[in-house]
Amino acid sequence: MKNIIFDFEYLAPKTLEEALTLLSQYDEEECKVIAGGQSLLILMRQRLITPEYLIDIKGISDLDYIKFDEKEGLKIGALTTHRAIEKSPVIQKEFSVLSEMEQNLSNVETRNWGTIGGDIAHADPCGDPAVVLIALNAKIKMTGSSGERTVDAEDFTLDYFETALHHDELLTEIQVPTLPPNTGVKFTKFSQIVGDLGLASVAMLITLDENKETCSDVRIALGGVAIAPMRAKKAEDMLKGKKISDALLAEAGQVASEETSPTTDVQASEEYRRDLIKVLVKRVGNEALARAKKA
Ligand SMILES: Cc1cc2nc3c(=O)[nH]c(=O)nc-3n(C[C@H](O)[C@H](O)[C@H](O)COP(=O)(O)OP(=O)(O)OC[C@H]3O[C@@H](n4cnc5c(N)ncnc54)[C@H](O)[C@@H]3O)c2cc1C
């Protein structure tokens, strides 16, 4: 029977250094990194990618961790699975929005294999973690043979399935700052099938002043409505310094939807996706606000 995936040479480094050495030995066209394989194997089966060398990094145990301290914030190793994040007690306590997002990402099998680093590096504009991480003001650490660098989560994805990673680099860590007091965060995606990639998604972080009256900071991140996850900065400006009401959130939803540039595909039209953003910003904003009041 004919193989559905082209032959390749399988390489399984056990340390970050070994993986980086292998990456620097091969050209971009000849090799590909695989972590959980949940996105990459689909592309290989469809023969959209036919690497000669596959560098399996799943065995690098040093990149599988969740650490938190008040001062340093949350650090997640790139090879941490979706399921580990969903189930982590410290994430459930300090960043419940991350755990909630993971609960609705695909099914348990995919969450057991798929890694957060692989999800972000895959850079599907409809991917969930990137949207939440932008709202949380996270940073992405990349490591290459010549050292480490970090970029803001909102600058990591450059285009459809294209990121700031250089060929000889690996995404190694996600860094999330500790939430300020009086802060609420909420994420929702709208999917046609429960747990599937969303047609559109919204994550919002709202920080209230010490009297819990006015909004001192807000971050609105949107997924599925542009070439990459994006911030709705005009809508954020409308809310900053104001007492947030249902009517103001409805206006912000309208402005946010105008900031997007969605495309029409077999699943939904451009107009439908814009409408979703209008509705979701208001809904998610109200829920983030309620959380900020209780925080
Ligand atoms: C049925 C199904 C449903 C899904 N639903 C959702 C969903 O609802 N929401 C969602 O967000 N995703 C969804 N996905 C996508 C998938 O879960 C993620 O993209 C997956 O977790 C990717 O992680 P991985 O470890 O499997 O990456 P892989 O598939 O191994 O790799 C993906 C890409 O990232 C690169 N890569 C991986 N790790 C690194 C690294 N550390 N450094 C540099 N490059 C790296 C690979 O080279 C490849 O290009 C779904 C997938 C399936 C199969």
Side-chain angles (χ1 to χ4, degrees), residues 78-128:
L79 289 175
T80 309
T81 63
H82 294 297
R83 187 70 167 161
I85 295 168
E86 175 192 351
K87 293 287 176 192
S88 157
V90 72
I91 290 183
Q92 285 172 352
K93 179 166 178 276
E94 304 290 339
F95 298 92
S96 56
V97 66
L98 273 174
S99 174
E100 290 161 8
M101 172 271 293
E102 296 288 14
Q103 277 165 34
N104 292 307
L105 188 151
S106 188
N107 49 41
V108 175
E109 292 86 342
T110 298
R111 298 206 290 278
N112 270 330
W113 273 101
T115 64
I116 187 153
D119 200 306
I120 302 166
H122 183 55
D124 188 318
C126 299
D128 301 328

Side-chain angles (χ1 to χ4, degrees), residues 74-76 136-141 150 173-177:
L74 177 69
K75 294 191 173 165
I76 308 177
L136 290 172
N137 200 11
K139 289 190 187 301
I140 309 294
K141 185 165 101 181
T150 53
E173 187 177 79
I174 291 108
Q175 304 168 342
V176 189

Side-chain angles (χ1 to χ4, degrees), residues 32-40 42 57 78 82 104-106 110 113-115 117-119 121-122 127-129 165 170-171 189 195-197:
K32 199 72 194 160
V33 165
I34 185 166
Q38 295 304 293
S39 293
L40 188 74
I42 295 172
I57 59 171
H82 294 297
N104 292 307
L105 188 151
S106 188
T110 298
W113 273 101
T115 64
D119 200 306
H122 183 55
D128 301 328
L165 275 168
L170 286 175
L171 193 165
K189 68 174 167 182
D196 209 354
L197 287 163

Side-chain angles (χ1 to χ4, degrees), residues 179-250:
L179 293 178
N182 306 335
T183 296
V185 199
K186 176 74 186 170
F187 168 75
T188 295
K189 68 174 167 182
F190 185 90
S191 318
Q192 282 163 325
I193 301 168
V194 174
D196 209 354
L197 287 163
L199 295 181
S201 64
V202 174
M204 275 178 79
L205 174 148
I206 293 177
T207 302
L208 296 174
D209 67 359
E210 55 195 15
N211 301 319
K212 298 198 175 182
E213 286 289 327
T214 55
C215 166
S216 54
D217 194 19
V218 57
R219 294 174 68 87
I220 306 176
L222 312 177
V225 287
I227 54 170
M230 58 172 282
R231 268 175 79 187
K233 292 192 179 172
K234 288 183 187 155
E236 289 175 3
D237 288 343
M238 288 182 64
L239 300 176
K240 256 180 227 162
K242 310 251 178 63
K243 185 169 175 168
I244 298 180
S245 63
D246 206 44
L248 190 58
L249 280 172

